[in-house]
Amino acid sequence: MGSEMSSLPDLELFTMGMWSIGLGAVGVAVTGILLANTDLFLSKPEAASLEFLETTELKSLGEEERTFKAGELWKKNGAVIMAVRRPGCFLCREEASELSSLKPQLDQLGVPLYAVVKEKIGTEVEDFQRYFKGEIFLDEKKKFYGPHKRKMLSMGLIRLGVWQNFLRAWKNGYSGNLKGEGFILGGVYVIGAGKQGVLLEHREREFGDKVSLQSVLEAAEKIKPQAADTD
């Protein structure tokens, strides 16, 4: 009887210890989630200069493939360019569709709308074209995602903002798939004609972080077209 009584304090201590470990684990998990929802651990974007972007080698994806320097895209009339994180992503399709809604205004300004992708897998680019109303090119060296390429891995799945973006796109009727690389974050550029420079550079801070359409239009209105023979 005495030995049974003496074992009770040990059992209580063991139980308390297990509870402490459990509470500690919960505390660590909660702290991790809270930190993940701040910008503390988000990689900071590095601005891309005009000189960096204009020498990028792009490939056309039409029937007649050609390789050219990206500077050709904005030499005369500037350009709005979307760096697509992943064509099959429903969040990217949502942003592409919204950018495409600006095409009438961009056409009036004479400013073309383009997109670049990191890779071409199956019919992903062709399927993306349903949502994007501009020409799409391949950026194999991913320079439009740099100079410092930023990634969001599993942390993105515990960020409240990402889940809000998921819900928004889903409610708006967008769907997609998981084909291809989708961790390197994309963005949107508005680039002036000739040497006018980068007028707007929106870098995706998390999955589904869309550019402001008003900001795109305001930047596009600042583009000063160049004469055809201007270098």
Side-chain angles (χ1 to χ4, degrees):
M1 184 72 175
S3 62
E4 290 179 1
M5 292 293 291
S6 63
S7 67
L8 287 177
D10 294 337
L11 179 60
E12 290 175 356
L13 288 173
F14 175 76
T15 302
M16 290 175 62
M18 293 303 293
W19 270 104
S20 298
I21 292 172
L23 289 173
V26 170
V28 169
V30 170
T31 300
I33 291 172
L34 290 175
L35 287 174
N37 279 278
T38 69
D39 292 345
L40 185 62
F41 295 113
L42 293 183
S43 55
K44 302 297 185 291
E46 179 183 347
S49 67
L50 181 67
E51 292 72 21
F52 177 82
L53 294 174
E54 66 185 357
T55 58
T56 301
E57 283 196 351
L58 298 179
K59 290 184 179 179
S60 62
L61 296 173
E63 294 181 1
E64 296 181 8
E65 286 192 10
R66 71 183 184 97
T67 301
F68 62 96
K69 300 294 185 183
E72 289 185 27
L73 296 180
W74 57 80
K75 182 177 181 180
K76 185 178 178 182
N77 294 311
V80 175
I81 303 175
M82 177 182 182
V84 183
R85 181 168 49 79
R86 188 166 55 79
C89 171
F90 70 129
L91 296 171
C92 297
R93 290 175 173 183
E94 179 192 35
E95 183 169 29
S97 181
E98 292 186 1
L99 274 174
S100 295
S101 72
L102 297 179
K103 197 160 190 318
Q105 293 101 307
L106 294 176
D107 286 345
Q108 285 186 346
L109 294 170
V111 178
L113 176 65
Y114 300 118
V116 296
V117 295
K118 313 171 198 146
E119 55 190 352
K120 188 179 187 306
I121 298 177
T123 62
E124 291 301 289
V125 173
E126 288 81 359
D127 295 341
F128 186 70
Q129 199 78 71
R130 291 173 48 201
Y131 306 91
F132 189 76
K133 305 307 179 186
E135 199 168 353
I136 302 173
F137 304 99
L138 178 63
D139 177 12
E140 289 182 315
K141 295 184 179 179
K142 305 178 183 66
K143 291 186 71 174
F144 275 85
Y145 303 84
H148 169 59
K149 299 177 186 66
R150 298 165 304 120
K151 287 187 177 183
M152 175 162 280
L153 302 174
S154 57
M155 181 177 70
L157 298 179
I158 56 175
R159 285 181 66 87
L160 178 60
V162 171
W163 283 99
Q164 289 174 332
N165 295 338
F166 283 165
L167 183 60
R168 180 199 64 226
W170 177 74
K171 283 184 173 180
N172 287 334
Y174 292 93
S175 60
N177 59 59
L178 297 174
K179 297 177 183 177
E181 198 287 319
F183 296 117
I184 297 176
L185 298 170
V188 174
Y189 300 85
V190 179
I191 303 177
K195 298 293 184 180
Q196 192 177 354
V198 179
L199 304 178
L200 173 69
E201 183 175 356
H202 169 79
R203 295 302 188 91
E204 201 178 19
R205 60 189 289 274
E206 62 185 7
F207 301 146
D209 175 30
K210 299 183 298 182
V211 69
S212 159
L213 298 184
Q214 184 62 35
S215 296
V216 171
L217 273 181
E218 290 175 357
E221 289 169 351
K222 297 176 182 176
I223 294 176
K224 300 174 182 176
Q226 302 290 302
D229 58 352
T230 299
D231 291 332

